[in-house]
Amino acid sequence: CPRMTTVSSSLPKPQFRDADETSITLNWPATTTGPGQCLFLQYKEHPKPWEEANRVEVDVNAGTASVEIVDLNPGTPYFVRLALQKADGATEYGPEIVFDTKPINCGPKKRCIIM
């Protein structure tokens, strides 16, 4: 479903479940959609604008209320929100929340290469 710009806040806020250096797993209360609607999760690196956000489609038919976002940068804050595109093309956006990926473990037993 394409991106649109109508805003509302009836969707739940994603909650933190787990994170490592390059991924974040989020969950939220079950959300249902109607015919012709599409639920997706948007995420963006701070301080990029929402217009440059990435998205992960959510299959509500599978009862999914959880998403793992992968291929992220270590030690980086990411803003996340749920979005629902309605059959009429309008999109509702839920409240945003920020999460950080874990920094690379550079302890004395591991060797770190920073590029």
Side-chain angles (χ1 to χ4, degrees):
C1 41
R3 296 177 189 221
M4 302 306 247
T5 57
T6 304
V7 178
S8 177
S9 62
S10 63
L11 294 169
K13 183 185 282 188
Q15 301 296 314
F16 174 82
R17 192 169 86 193
D18 193 21
D20 62 23
E21 291 90 354
T22 60
S23 69
I24 298 172
T25 302
L26 308 168
N27 59 5
W28 56 88
T31 304
T32 58
T33 62
Q37 296 182 337
C38 176
L39 182 68
F40 57 95
L41 184 110
Q42 282 189 308
Y43 65 97
K44 68 181 185 84
E45 203 173 300
H46 178 72
K48 290 183 179 180
W50 280 111
E51 293 77 27
E52 295 179 24
N54 296 301
R55 62 191 270 160
V56 177
E57 301 286 329
V58 177
D59 182 3
V60 294
N61 295 325
T64 303
S66 178
V67 165
E68 180 182 21
I69 306 169
V70 297
D71 297 327
L72 303 176
N73 294 317
T76 303
Y78 285 89
F79 285 83
V80 179
R81 67 183 178 184
L82 284 172
L84 176 69
Q85 183 177 350
K86 297 180 171 187
D88 66 3
T91 300
E92 290 185 15
Y93 296 103
E96 64 185 57
I97 191 159
V98 65
F99 298 101
D100 292 344
T101 52
K102 290 183 179 181
I104 295 176
N105 187 351
C106 293
K109 294 183 181 181
K110 294 198 177 194
R111 186 173 176 197
C112 295
I113 300 172
I114 299 177
M115 296 182 200

